Amino acid sequence: FSGLNFPLGGVGAFEKGNIIGNPKLTPEITTEKEIGTDIRLFQSRLTLDVAFYNKVSDGQILSVVIPPSSGFANQIINFGQVQNKGIEIGATIIPVKNTNFQWALSATYTKNNNKVLDLPGETPELVLRTIYGTQLVAIKGKPIGVLRTGDYVTDSLGHVVVNATNGIPKGSVDKTEVGGVLPKFVLGLTNDFKYKNFDFSFVIDWRKGGFLYSGTADLHNFVGNATGTTYNNRQPFIVPNSVKDNPFYDAVNNPNVPQYVENDIPITMVNVNAYYYPSSAPVSERDRIIPRDYLKLRDISLSYTIPSKFLSKLPIEKASLVLTGRNLLLFTPSENNFIDPESTSFGNDLQSEFGEFRTGPTVRSFTGSIRINF
């Protein structure tokens, strides 16, 4: 929890970057086929725009993890071949329209199916990023951006195997795929109401599916603020559905004795932090991966256009007053009461889909403006 920051005592410093370049980079090539239709009916009071697409990107430029023995942590490479195909739908209906009032309802729907077709060097998988034991991986034949992390050791019946000395679950050597970072679909809904000189609109977004790594969830587990850390009113407890090694088990000499027996070793107050946080504890690693689903009231806008009769003596063509609120409401699954799923601290390329590392909360904002056209 400490470090040296320069300038130190008035002395500056330089640090060598941990990303190595690549003189063999080639341009990224994308080919796309698309077919669609634009339908407008009833004097455009009902419109429908549908498009199907199939896009293949060859040689995407990305930073990937390389062995630290190279002297660097990452290298820029041409990242294999990735396919994106899916459907985009945009629809608008105007249920009410008269001299004084109009209501327009618009919706957009996007469903994208992603697949890694090829990876450099014909490797079956490539680790894109690793943080605290959680990996963002590209696996040939699967959607790009699979999250893998530590998991429990379990018996053949799915019971969690714990350490018989402290009751803490044992962690498996291999990492488990939790899920992908990409959504199943994204839906947007816009309502626009016009009444005389007033215009009121709001936008709702719904994202379904996908997971993210959350450094904020990790930190909440560390300090004991996560909801899960309140289990059993923070009193000692036995891990549910758990077993421990049977000291009398002998696969060779006594195979009829069960390998595991019911666990009776509680997590004591002394070990509660070791249960919820350390990187070696499966519960800690798994709790860093949270659902990316959300329902969000993206923004609300209210505007009033000043009647032209009040502007006739001024060199102004049009004037309006506008009030706007953004990022007003957010609903997430119960597993995520930590962070806005749209938060990221990993740049703006594919790695940004990894999630966030202890970022600040997103901002709710309110603005007012006067717009004047001369």
Side-chain angles (χ1 to χ4, degrees):
F1 298 94
S2 63
L4 296 177
N5 297 311
F6 289 90
L8 184 63
V11 179
F14 293 94
E15 181 181 0
K16 188 175 182 179
N18 63 357
I19 300 178
I20 186 173
N22 188 348
K24 296 182 180 180
L25 283 179
T26 59
E28 175 184 335
I29 304 297
T30 298
T31 57
E32 182 174 5
K33 298 177 182 178
E34 183 174 327
I35 184 172
T37 183
D38 187 357
I39 302 173
R40 298 177 182 272
L41 303 172
F42 312 115
Q43 297 180 331
S44 294
R45 290 186 63 172
L46 175 62
T47 65
L48 181 65
D49 186 359
V50 182
F52 297 90
Y53 61 90
N54 188 346
K55 180 169 63 174
V56 177
S57 298
D58 196 358
Q60 289 181 292
I61 298 175
L62 289 172
S63 172
V64 300
V65 177
I66 59 175
S69 57
S70 65
F72 296 88
N74 299 80
Q75 183 179 29
I76 307 297
I77 68 168
N78 287 108
F79 174 81
Q81 193 176 66
V82 179
Q83 179 188 53
N84 288 281
K85 61 180 180 180
I87 182 173
E88 295 176 338
I89 302 175
T92 298
I93 183 172
I94 304 177
V96 181
K97 184 177 182 180
N98 54 45
T99 304
N100 293 324
F101 181 74
Q102 175 178 302
W103 171 31
L105 176 63
S106 300
T108 58
Y109 173 85
T110 302
K111 180 175 177 59
N112 180 66
N113 296 311
N114 177 279
K115 181 188 289 187
V116 177
L117 301 179
D118 196 14
L119 291 171
E122 299 184 354
T123 180
E125 64 178 52
L126 192 63
V127 177
L128 304 176
R129 186 150 195 154
T130 299
I131 293 182
Y132 282 4
T134 299
Q135 297 176 334
L136 178 67
V137 191
I139 303 174
K140 189 173 180 179
K142 294 188 176 184
I144 195 168
V146 173
L147 290 172
R148 288 195 310 211
T149 192
D151 202 355
Y152 302 105
V153 173
T154 58
D155 66 7
S156 59
L157 298 177
H159 301 114
V160 176
V161 180
V162 304
N163 187 319
T165 62
N166 55 25
I168 296 176
K170 293 182 178 181
S172 63
V173 176
D174 298 326
K175 295 188 179 298
T176 300
E177 293 182 16
V178 179
V181 298
L182 302 179
K184 293 180 180 179
F185 65 82
V186 177
L187 178 66
L189 187 66
T190 301
N191 275 276
D192 189 8
F193 303 90
K194 299 181 186 294
Y195 177 71
K196 294 185 178 180
N197 289 22
F198 290 93
D199 191 338
F200 174 74
S201 65
F202 63 90
V203 179
I204 297 174
D205 285 341
W206 178 24
R207 171 178 170 140
K208 177 64 177 178
F211 295 86
L212 76 150
Y213 170 91
S214 175
T216 301
D218 173 55
L219 191 60
H220 277 263
N221 273 283
F222 172 64
V223 300
N225 282 342
T227 304
T229 64
T230 64
Y231 181 74
N232 199 40
N233 292 322
R234 303 187 189 275
Q235 298 302 308
F237 62 91
I238 294 175
V239 175
N241 193 39
S242 63
V243 294
K244 65 179 181 178
D245 292 322
N246 186 347
F248 301 105
Y249 172 73
D250 188 332
V252 176
N253 300 316
N254 199 2
N256 294 324
V257 174
Q259 183 178 0
Y260 303 106
V261 294
E262 183 178 355
N263 174 36
D264 58 357
I265 307 299
I267 303 292
T268 64
M269 298 301 291
V270 173
N271 291 322
V272 68
N273 183 64
Y275 172 76
Y276 282 114
Y277 184 72
S279 298
S280 60
V283 66
S284 175
E285 292 192 23
R286 291 180 65 86
D287 284 352
R288 294 167 182 159
I289 310 300
I290 58 178
R292 216 179 199 114
D293 308 61
Y294 65 77
L295 181 67
K296 176 177 288 192
L297 179 58
R298 178 74 61 182
D299 61 55
I300 291 179
S301 178
L302 174 64
S303 66
Y304 174 71
T305 301
I306 299 175
S308 57
K309 64 181 180 180
F310 295 117
L311 306 174
S312 58
K313 296 183 179 181
L314 300 173
I316 297 175
E317 180 179 336
K318 183 180 179 181
S320 59
L321 306 176
V322 183
L323 297 176
T324 303
R326 290 186 173 87
N327 204 28
L328 300 180
L329 291 174
L330 174 66
F331 301 93
T332 60
S334 59
E335 298 92 333
N336 175 22
N337 55 1
F338 304 105
I339 196 75
D340 184 341
E342 291 188 301
S343 300
T344 182
S345 51
F346 299 118
N348 54 12
D349 58 9
L350 172 62
Q351 293 194 21
S352 68
E353 297 289 343
F354 193 6
E356 56 85 25
F357 189 78
R358 303 174 185 179
T359 60
T362 50
V363 177
R364 177 183 297 151
S365 64
F366 299 91
T367 59
S369 62
I370 301 176
R371 299 175 183 174
I372 299 176
N373 296 339
F374 294 95

